[in-house]
Amino acid sequence: MTIRILPAIGDPDAARAVSSLLHQLPDAEPAPAVADSAALLHALADAAAQGAGAAAAGAPPAAGQPSAVEALPEVVLVHERIGPTPALELIREVALRFPAVGVVLITTDAGPALFSAAMDAGARGIVGMPLGYDELAARVQAAAQWSAGVRVHLGGSPEAAPGPAGTLVTVTGAKGGVGTTVTAVQLALAARAAGRSVALVDLDLQSGDVASYLDVQFRRSIVDLAGIHDISVRVLQDAVHDHHTGLGLLLAPEEGERGEEVDDRAARQIIGALRSRYEVVLVDCGSQMQSANAAAVELADLALLVTTPDVVAVRAAKRQVRLWDRLQIRKAEDTTTVVNRLTRNTEIQPPLVAKATGTQVARTHVPAAFKELQPCVDAGRMQDLDNRSTVKQALCALAGELGLVDSPAARQGRGSHRARPTLTGRKRKAITPGAAPGSGGVPGPAPGAASGAGPGSGTRFGVRRGPAAAAGGQGPFDPSGEG
């Protein structure tokens, strides 16, 4: 979100100092400073009048034209020596006439008495002089978020929703070794390739491997943010590693015992700070639930649970879902299960996984093709995975299904057999409408075969039935049994 800032500072030296700091703020759009209270009120009134021009004429604003509320700057900075109207009186008048504008007072006296008086007048914060980058950034961002919330209720654009704007996606493994980190890394790379700003967070605090998979050596980790109660933009930038792929990486600590320093409060604060800076925040939660990654799953817009199609992993997924439900972290129906390493000969197919866990199962399944992954995994350069890899194609399709990628291929999704990778990696032949069986394209059933009979009947990934199931008994995995 771009933050428009209008400083009202009469002192030229103070105006230059404030302007210099404002231009360093990310996503900030500072306007030239106005010199007195009359100029400030006039500038705000002009902005509101221009935005309300279409509405005054009896017509809705044209596309791209701001409304009266949206045309106003999000933040106004008022210096204590502004004149001729005293600063507190000016703040009160701005708050009454333009309630969607967040006002921050700049003063040399940041004591409790002045703070209380400024809050009573309608200010959203106070910045002490001499100015510091961190304090100014924190107060400006807080005032801008408050302003965005007010604008929604005053008829502003719904897109200017308050609070965190980024989509939070958590990736949790049913058990160790099911492909959680590979899934998280490839989803993050797919979202970044689609042009979105992406942060990848390693919340597998004791044994996180995101750094190993992306060939990163960085001395800072998420633990460095755990003890900070007010995470400023600069502090966040110091802790996040800017990877050459464009991802922002917040890594797990090298010393696993330090993971205990990140509790649920710290996790919520860190995730909130990241969501205000990135469009997509992907969190690798590992397979062990602690207070930090439990808080992330609870906050997530999309909670993914990765499993492989075997009895042990599916039972682990079932236990994980039950744990989340008992702790009131997340309901099963709000969880999306991703089936990894699926083959057509697998006994347990996605419908059975959905029945066993009670979760939604993603339509996109990831094939078993470790030979494609092994060179990149061994080299620690998962970003170099070939675009022709069936695993990468499947995970890109999954990113499109989850809404992390907005591209023609993703919108085409699974509606076309050409848009989907096969489980074997071989290309499918197009089916010619009306073609007779055996006349080319896809071979038809054997002559005289009954519909629905034979090994080729049913869905493409139908459940293979073993001898016990064929005789009417239970197979190797009973979804209704205790896991």
Side-chain angles (χ1 to χ4, degrees), residues 237-285:
Q237 288 176 338
D238 289 342
V240 173
H241 174 70
D242 292 326
H243 197 253
H244 66 83
T245 59
L247 297 178
L249 303 180
L250 187 55
L251 304 173
E254 289 188 6
E255 304 85 5
E257 65 275 12
R258 295 197 63 195
E260 298 179 357
E261 301 176 27
V262 184
D263 56 11
D264 57 337
R265 181 206 61 81
R268 292 175 188 275
Q269 187 174 14
I270 292 167
I271 289 172
L274 289 169
R275 294 180 74 181
S276 67
R277 293 275 296 127
Y278 295 90
E279 296 177 84
V280 177
V281 179
L282 263 152
V283 181
D284 179 0
C285 293

Short mmCIF file of all heavy atoms in Angstrom, two decimals, residues 237-285:
data_model
loop_
_atom_site.label_atom_id
_atom_site.label_comp_id
_atom_site.label_asym_id
_atom_site.label_seq_id
_atom_site.Cartn_x
_atom_site.Cartn_y
_atom_site.Cartn_z
N GLN A 237 13.92 -5.35 7.75
CA GLN A 237 14.82 -5.46 6.61
C GLN A 237 16.16 -6.08 7.01
O GLN A 237 16.76 -6.84 6.24
CB GLN A 237 15.05 -4.09 5.98
CG GLN A 237 13.85 -3.55 5.21
CD GLN A 237 14.08 -2.15 4.70
OE1 GLN A 237 14.92 -1.42 5.22
NE2 GLN A 237 13.32 -1.75 3.68
N ASP A 238 16.62 -5.78 8.22
CA ASP A 238 17.89 -6.34 8.68
C ASP A 238 17.78 -7.85 8.92
O ASP A 238 18.78 -8.57 8.77
CB ASP A 238 18.33 -5.65 9.97
CG ASP A 238 18.80 -4.22 9.73
OD1 ASP A 238 19.09 -3.90 8.56
OD2 ASP A 238 18.84 -3.44 10.69
N ALA A 239 16.61 -8.33 9.30
CA ALA A 239 16.45 -9.75 9.61
C ALA A 239 16.09 -10.59 8.40
O ALA A 239 16.31 -11.81 8.41
CB ALA A 239 15.39 -9.93 10.70
N VAL A 240 15.53 -9.98 7.37
CA VAL A 240 15.08 -10.72 6.18
C VAL A 240 16.20 -10.73 5.15
O VAL A 240 16.76 -9.68 4.80
CB VAL A 240 13.80 -10.09 5.59
CG1 VAL A 240 13.44 -10.76 4.27
CG2 VAL A 240 12.65 -10.22 6.58
N HIS A 241 16.53 -11.91 4.65
CA HIS A 241 17.56 -12.05 3.61
C HIS A 241 16.93 -11.89 2.24
O HIS A 241 15.96 -12.58 1.90
CB HIS A 241 18.22 -13.43 3.71
CG HIS A 241 19.18 -13.72 2.60
ND1 HIS A 241 20.39 -13.07 2.47
CD2 HIS A 241 19.09 -14.56 1.54
CE1 HIS A 241 21.02 -13.53 1.40
NE2 HIS A 241 20.25 -14.43 0.82
N ASP A 242 17.46 -10.97 1.45
CA ASP A 242 16.97 -10.75 0.08
C ASP A 242 17.66 -11.75 -0.84
O ASP A 242 18.82 -11.56 -1.24
CB ASP A 242 17.25 -9.32 -0.36
CG ASP A 242 16.42 -8.30 0.42
OD1 ASP A 242 15.29 -8.63 0.77
OD2 ASP A 242 16.93 -7.20 0.69
N HIS A 243 16.96 -12.80 -1.20
CA HIS A 243 17.51 -13.83 -2.06
C HIS A 243 17.55 -13.35 -3.50
O HIS A 243 16.74 -12.49 -3.90
CB HIS A 243 16.66 -15.10 -1.95
CG HIS A 243 17.33 -16.33 -2.47
ND1 HIS A 243 16.98 -16.93 -3.66
CD2 HIS A 243 18.35 -17.08 -1.96
CE1 HIS A 243 17.73 -17.99 -3.85
NE2 HIS A 243 18.57 -18.11 -2.84
N HIS A 244 18.48 -13.87 -4.29
CA HIS A 244 18.62 -13.38 -5.66
C HIS A 244 17.42 -13.75 -6.53
O HIS A 244 17.22 -13.17 -7.60
CB HIS A 244 19.91 -13.93 -6.29
CG HIS A 244 19.92 -15.42 -6.47
ND1 HIS A 244 19.36 -16.04 -7.56
CD2 HIS A 244 20.45 -16.40 -5.70
CE1 HIS A 244 19.52 -17.35 -7.45
NE2 HIS A 244 20.18 -17.59 -6.34
N THR A 245 16.59 -14.68 -6.08
CA THR A 245 15.36 -14.99 -6.82
C THR A 245 14.28 -13.95 -6.60
O THR A 245 13.26 -13.98 -7.28
CB THR A 245 14.83 -16.36 -6.38
OG1 THR A 245 14.58 -16.33 -4.96
CG2 THR A 245 15.81 -17.47 -6.71
N GLY A 246 14.49 -13.05 -5.65
CA GLY A 246 13.47 -12.05 -5.32
C GLY A 246 12.69 -12.38 -4.07
O GLY A 246 11.90 -11.56 -3.60
N LEU A 247 12.92 -13.57 -3.51
CA LEU A 247 12.23 -13.93 -2.27
C LEU A 247 12.87 -13.22 -1.08
O LEU A 247 14.08 -13.01 -1.03
CB LEU A 247 12.31 -15.44 -2.04
CG LEU A 247 11.64 -16.37 -3.06
CD1 LEU A 247 11.88 -17.82 -2.66
CD2 LEU A 247 10.16 -16.08 -3.15
N GLY A 248 12.03 -12.88 -0.11
CA GLY A 248 12.52 -12.42 1.18
C GLY A 248 12.50 -13.60 2.13
O GLY A 248 11.44 -14.18 2.39
N LEU A 249 13.65 -13.99 2.67
CA LEU A 249 13.76 -15.18 3.50
C LEU A 249 13.95 -14.80 4.96
O LEU A 249 14.87 -14.06 5.30
CB LEU A 249 14.94 -16.04 3.04
CG LEU A 249 14.95 -16.50 1.57
CD1 LEU A 249 16.19 -17.34 1.29
CD2 LEU A 249 13.68 -17.27 1.23
N LEU A 250 13.08 -15.32 5.80
CA LEU A 250 13.25 -15.20 7.25
C LEU A 250 13.51 -16.61 7.76
O LEU A 250 12.61 -17.46 7.78
CB LEU A 250 12.01 -14.60 7.90
CG LEU A 250 12.12 -14.27 9.39
CD1 LEU A 250 13.30 -13.35 9.66
CD2 LEU A 250 10.84 -13.63 9.90
N LEU A 251 14.74 -16.88 8.15
CA LEU A 251 15.22 -18.24 8.35
C LEU A 251 15.10 -18.69 9.80
O LEU A 251 14.98 -17.87 10.72
CB LEU A 251 16.68 -18.34 7.90
CG LEU A 251 16.94 -17.89 6.45
CD1 LEU A 251 18.43 -17.86 6.17
CD2 LEU A 251 16.23 -18.81 5.46
N ALA A 252 15.13 -20.01 9.97
CA ALA A 252 15.16 -20.60 11.30
C ALA A 252 16.57 -20.46 11.87
O ALA A 252 17.55 -20.35 11.13
CB ALA A 252 14.76 -22.07 11.23
N PRO A 253 16.71 -20.47 13.19
CA PRO A 253 18.06 -20.32 13.79
C PRO A 253 18.90 -21.57 13.54
O PRO A 253 18.39 -22.69 13.45
CB PRO A 253 17.75 -20.14 15.28
CG PRO A 253 16.43 -20.81 15.48
CD PRO A 253 15.66 -20.58 14.21
N GLU A 254 20.21 -21.37 13.45
CA GLU A 254 21.12 -22.50 13.29
C GLU A 254 21.17 -23.33 14.56
O GLU A 254 21.32 -24.56 14.50
CB GLU A 254 22.52 -22.01 12.93
CG GLU A 254 22.62 -21.44 11.53
CD GLU A 254 24.06 -21.15 11.13
OE1 GLU A 254 24.97 -21.51 11.92
OE2 GLU A 254 24.28 -20.59 10.05
N GLU A 255 21.04 -22.69 15.71
CA GLU A 255 21.00 -23.41 16.98
C GLU A 255 19.54 -23.71 17.29
O GLU A 255 18.78 -22.82 17.67
CB GLU A 255 21.63 -22.59 18.10
CG GLU A 255 23.05 -22.14 17.83
CD GLU A 255 23.13 -20.86 17.02
OE1 GLU A 255 22.06 -20.28 16.75
OE2 GLU A 255 24.24 -20.46 16.64
N GLY A 256 19.16 -24.97 17.14
CA GLY A 256 17.75 -25.34 17.29
C GLY A 256 17.17 -25.01 18.64
O GLY A 256 15.98 -24.69 18.75
N GLU A 257 18.00 -25.05 19.71
CA GLU A 257 17.47 -24.76 21.04
C GLU A 257 16.98 -23.32 21.18
O GLU A 257 16.15 -23.01 22.03
CB GLU A 257 18.51 -25.07 22.12
CG GLU A 257 19.75 -24.18 22.09
CD GLU A 257 20.82 -24.69 21.14
OE1 GLU A 257 20.51 -25.58 20.33
OE2 GLU A 257 21.95 -24.17 21.18
N ARG A 258 17.48 -22.42 20.30
CA ARG A 258 17.05 -21.02 20.38
C ARG A 258 15.63 -20.82 19.84
O ARG A 258 15.04 -19.77 20.02
CB ARG A 258 18.01 -20.13 19.60
CG ARG A 258 19.42 -20.07 20.17
CD ARG A 258 20.15 -18.88 19.62
NE ARG A 258 19.52 -17.63 20.02
CZ ARG A 258 19.79 -16.44 19.46
NH1 ARG A 258 20.67 -16.37 18.47
NH2 ARG A 258 19.18 -15.36 19.87
N GLY A 259 15.10 -21.85 19.19
CA GLY A 259 13.74 -21.74 18.69
C GLY A 259 12.72 -21.52 19.79
O GLY A 259 11.63 -20.98 19.54
N GLU A 260 13.05 -21.91 21.02
CA GLU A 260 12.12 -21.70 22.13
C GLU A 260 11.90 -20.22 22.43
O GLU A 260 10.94 -19.87 23.12
CB GLU A 260 12.65 -22.41 23.38
CG GLU A 260 12.77 -23.93 23.22
CD GLU A 260 13.31 -24.59 24.46
OE1 GLU A 260 13.65 -23.85 25.42
OE2 GLU A 260 13.42 -25.83 24.48
N GLU A 261 12.79 -19.36 21.94
CA GLU A 261 12.62 -17.92 22.18
C GLU A 261 11.48 -17.33 21.37
O GLU A 261 11.01 -16.23 21.66
CB GLU A 261 13.93 -17.20 21.84
CG GLU A 261 15.12 -17.67 22.65
CD GLU A 261 16.41 -16.98 22.23
OE1 GLU A 261 16.33 -15.85 21.71
OE2 GLU A 261 17.49 -17.59 22.39
N VAL A 262 11.05 -18.04 20.33
CA VAL A 262 9.95 -17.54 19.49
C VAL A 262 8.66 -18.15 19.99
O VAL A 262 8.37 -19.33 19.75
CB VAL A 262 10.18 -17.91 18.01
CG1 VAL A 262 9.09 -17.29 17.14
CG2 VAL A 262 11.55 -17.46 17.54
N ASP A 263 7.86 -17.37 20.72
CA ASP A 263 6.58 -17.86 21.22
C ASP A 263 5.46 -17.39 20.31
O ASP A 263 5.68 -16.79 19.25
CB ASP A 263 6.36 -17.39 22.66
CG ASP A 263 6.44 -15.87 22.80
OD1 ASP A 263 6.46 -15.17 21.76
OD2 ASP A 263 6.48 -15.38 23.94
N ASP A 264 4.22 -17.67 20.72
CA ASP A 264 3.08 -17.33 19.87
C ASP A 264 2.93 -15.82 19.71
O ASP A 264 2.57 -15.34 18.63
CB ASP A 264 1.80 -17.95 20.42
CG ASP A 264 1.51 -17.52 21.85
OD1 ASP A 264 2.46 -17.13 22.56
OD2 ASP A 264 0.34 -17.60 22.27
N ARG A 265 3.23 -15.05 20.78
CA ARG A 265 3.13 -13.59 20.66
C ARG A 265 4.11 -13.07 19.64
O ARG A 265 3.77 -12.25 18.78
CB ARG A 265 3.40 -12.95 22.03
CG ARG A 265 3.29 -11.42 22.00
CD ARG A 265 4.14 -10.79 23.09
NE ARG A 265 5.55 -11.11 22.92
CZ ARG A 265 6.35 -10.48 22.06
NH1 ARG A 265 5.88 -9.53 21.26
NH2 ARG A 265 7.62 -10.82 21.97
N ALA A 266 5.35 -13.55 19.71
CA ALA A 266 6.36 -13.10 18.75
C ALA A 266 5.98 -13.52 17.34
O ALA A 266 6.14 -12.74 16.38
CB ALA A 266 7.72 -13.67 19.13
N ALA A 267 5.48 -14.74 17.17
CA ALA A 267 5.10 -15.21 15.84
C ALA A 267 3.99 -14.35 15.25
O ALA A 267 4.03 -13.99 14.06
CB ALA A 267 4.65 -16.67 15.91
N ARG A 268 3.01 -14.01 16.05
CA ARG A 268 1.91 -13.16 15.54
C ARG A 268 2.43 -11.79 15.11
O ARG A 268 2.03 -11.25 14.08
CB ARG A 268 0.83 -13.01 16.62
CG ARG A 268 0.07 -14.29 16.91
CD ARG A 268 -0.90 -14.09 18.07
NE ARG A 268 -1.50 -15.34 18.49
CZ ARG A 268 -2.57 -15.90 17.92
NH1 ARG A 268 -3.17 -15.27 16.93
NH2 ARG A 268 -3.06 -17.04 18.36
N GLN A 269 3.31 -11.22 15.93
CA GLN A 269 3.83 -9.89 15.61
C GLN A 269 4.70 -9.92 14.36
O GLN A 269 4.60 -9.04 13.49
CB GLN A 269 4.62 -9.36 16.80
CG GLN A 269 5.06 -7.90 16.64
CD GLN A 269 5.70 -7.38 17.90
OE1 GLN A 269 6.05 -8.14 18.80
NE2 GLN A 269 5.89 -6.07 17.97
N ILE A 270 5.53 -10.95 14.25
CA ILE A 270 6.42 -11.06 13.09
C ILE A 270 5.61 -11.27 11.82
O ILE A 270 5.85 -10.64 10.78
CB ILE A 270 7.43 -12.20 13.30
CG1 ILE A 270 8.40 -11.84 14.43
CG2 ILE A 270 8.20 -12.50 12.02
CD1 ILE A 270 9.22 -13.00 14.93
N ILE A 271 4.63 -12.15 11.88
CA ILE A 271 3.80 -12.42 10.70
C ILE A 271 3.01 -11.18 10.31
O ILE A 271 2.87 -10.86 9.12
CB ILE A 271 2.87 -13.61 10.98
CG1 ILE A 271 3.68 -14.91 11.03
CG2 ILE A 271 1.78 -13.72 9.92
CD1 ILE A 271 2.90 -16.11 11.49
N GLY A 272 2.51 -10.45 11.30
CA GLY A 272 1.79 -9.21 10.99
C GLY A 272 2.67 -8.19 10.29
O GLY A 272 2.24 -7.53 9.34
N ALA A 273 3.92 -8.08 10.76
CA ALA A 273 4.84 -7.15 10.11
C ALA A 273 5.15 -7.57 8.68
O ALA A 273 5.24 -6.73 7.77
CB ALA A 273 6.13 -7.06 10.93
N LEU A 274 5.31 -8.87 8.45
CA LEU A 274 5.59 -9.35 7.10
C LEU A 274 4.39 -9.15 6.18
O LEU A 274 4.55 -8.79 5.01
CB LEU A 274 5.98 -10.83 7.15
CG LEU A 274 7.34 -11.16 7.76
CD1 LEU A 274 7.47 -12.65 8.00
CD2 LEU A 274 8.46 -10.66 6.86
N ARG A 275 3.20 -9.38 6.68
CA ARG A 275 2.00 -9.23 5.83
C ARG A 275 1.76 -7.79 5.42
O ARG A 275 1.13 -7.54 4.39
CB ARG A 275 0.78 -9.78 6.57
CG ARG A 275 0.82 -11.27 6.81
CD ARG A 275 -0.39 -11.76 7.54
NE ARG A 275 -1.57 -11.80 6.67
CZ ARG A 275 -2.78 -12.17 7.07
NH1 ARG A 275 -2.97 -12.53 8.33
NH2 ARG A 275 -3.78 -12.18 6.23
N SER A 276 2.27 -6.85 6.21
CA SER A 276 2.13 -5.45 5.82
C SER A 276 3.15 -5.04 4.77
O SER A 276 3.04 -3.96 4.19
CB SER A 276 2.27 -4.55 7.05
OG SER A 276 3.59 -4.61 7.58
N ARG A 277 4.15 -5.92 4.51
CA ARG A 277 5.21 -5.57 3.56
C ARG A 277 5.20 -6.43 2.31
O ARG A 277 5.76 -6.03 1.29
CB ARG A 277 6.58 -5.74 4.25
CG ARG A 277 6.84 -4.77 5.38
CD ARG A 277 7.38 -3.46 4.85
NE ARG A 277 8.67 -3.66 4.22
CZ ARG A 277 8.98 -3.28 3.00
NH1 ARG A 277 8.08 -2.67 2.25
NH2 ARG A 277 10.17 -3.50 2.49
N TYR A 278 4.59 -7.62 2.37
CA TYR A 278 4.63 -8.55 1.24
C TYR A 278 3.22 -8.95 0.84
O TYR A 278 2.33 -9.05 1.69
CB TYR A 278 5.44 -9.80 1.60
CG TYR A 278 6.90 -9.55 1.84
CD1 TYR A 278 7.36 -9.24 3.12
CD2 TYR A 278 7.83 -9.60 0.80
CE1 TYR A 278 8.71 -9.01 3.36
CE2 TYR A 278 9.18 -9.37 1.03
CZ TYR A 278 9.61 -9.07 2.30
OH TYR A 278 10.95 -8.83 2.54
N GLU A 279 3.06 -9.22 -0.45
CA GLU A 279 1.76 -9.66 -0.95
C GLU A 279 1.46 -11.09 -0.56
O GLU A 279 0.30 -11.45 -0.35
CB GLU A 279 1.71 -9.52 -2.48
CG GLU A 279 1.82 -8.10 -2.98
CD GLU A 279 1.83 -8.04 -4.49
OE1 GLU A 279 0.75 -8.05 -5.09
OE2 GLU A 279 2.94 -8.01 -5.06
N VAL A 280 2.47 -11.93 -0.49
CA VAL A 280 2.30 -13.33 -0.11
C VAL A 280 3.34 -13.66 0.96
O VAL A 280 4.51 -13.36 0.80
CB VAL A 280 2.47 -14.28 -1.32
CG1 VAL A 280 2.36 -15.74 -0.87
CG2 VAL A 280 1.44 -13.98 -2.40
N VAL A 281 2.88 -14.27 2.04
CA VAL A 281 3.77 -14.74 3.10
C VAL A 281 3.56 -16.25 3.22
O VAL A 281 2.48 -16.71 3.60
CB VAL A 281 3.48 -14.05 4.45
CG1 VAL A 281 4.42 -14.60 5.53
CG2 VAL A 281 3.64 -12.54 4.32
N LEU A 282 4.59 -17.02 2.87
CA LEU A 282 4.54 -18.48 2.94
C LEU A 282 5.35 -18.95 4.14
O LEU A 282 6.51 -18.55 4.31
CB LEU A 282 5.10 -19.10 1.66
CG LEU A 282 4.05 -19.50 0.62
CD1 LEU A 282 4.62 -19.44 -0.78
CD2 LEU A 282 3.53 -20.89 0.92
N VAL A 283 4.75 -19.79 4.97
CA VAL A 283 5.39 -20.23 6.21
C VAL A 283 5.55 -21.74 6.17
O VAL A 283 4.57 -22.48 6.03
CB VAL A 283 4.56 -19.81 7.44
CG1 VAL A 283 5.27 -20.25 8.72
CG2 VAL A 283 4.34 -18.30 7.45
N ASP A 284 6.80 -22.20 6.29
CA ASP A 284 7.09 -23.62 6.42
C ASP A 284 7.02 -23.95 7.91
O ASP A 284 7.90 -23.57 8.69
CB ASP A 284 8.47 -23.92 5.85
CG ASP A 284 8.86 -25.38 5.98
OD1 ASP A 284 8.05 -26.17 6.52
OD2 ASP A 284 9.98 -25.75 5.57
N CYS A 285 5.98 -24.69 8.31
CA CYS A 285 5.75 -24.97 9.72
C CYS A 285 6.35 -26.31 10.17
O CYS A 285 6.22 -26.67 11.34
CB CYS A 285 4.25 -24.98 10.03
SG CYS A 285 3.46 -23.37 9.87
#
